[in-house]
Amino acid sequence: ELPSSISTGSDVSSSPAVEETTAVTKSKSKWSNVQERTLPALLMLGGVYGWIKYTGTNGVIALFTFLQAAMYSEGTNVVVSESSSKLSSLEKWFYFVTF
């Protein structure tokens, strides 16, 4: 049992000011989340559209080649970091082909 000098907080959490503050905080959090995710996504889509519009077919080929090389590098880095020994280039390619 709590001493009478210690409050359980039930009187504070039920006050209208706390509920309003919580609602405002949730609203700001949602807006912040939308800004944080939507703006970079739109910028990336605009950048890809601009890249394709400016460079055409050759730009798409270069973009996909770059993305494939980056994914291969990331995938083999994960394998190397999980492996106890350094993998040879042949083992990396084997992982890439079978992955």
Side-chain angles (χ1 to χ4, degrees), residues 29-94:
S29 175
K30 286 181 182 180
W31 179 246
S32 175
N33 192 15
V34 166
Q35 285 179 323
E36 184 176 326
R37 296 177 186 271
T38 305
L39 184 60
L42 292 175
L43 288 173
M44 284 190 291
L45 287 172
V48 169
Y49 175 77
W51 175 263
I52 292 170
K53 186 79 170 164
Y54 179 72
T55 60
T57 304
N58 290 334
V60 173
I61 292 169
L63 178 64
F64 275 81
T65 303
F66 170 75
L67 290 175
Q68 285 178 331
M71 287 186 281
Y72 167 74
S73 175
E74 184 66 27
T76 55
N77 285 341
V78 169
V79 171
V80 169
S81 68
E82 295 294 325
S83 176
S84 61
S85 65
K86 293 287 184 185
L87 294 176
S88 70
S89 180
L90 182 61
E91 289 172 315
K92 287 182 182 181
W93 276 105
F94 176 76

Side-chain angles (χ1 to χ4, degrees), residues 5-26:
S5 63
I6 297 178
S7 172
T8 61
S10 61
D11 58 333
V12 174
S13 64
S14 63
S15 71
V18 171
E19 290 175 5
E20 183 179 328
T21 304
T22 304
V24 169
T25 304
K26 285 182 182 179

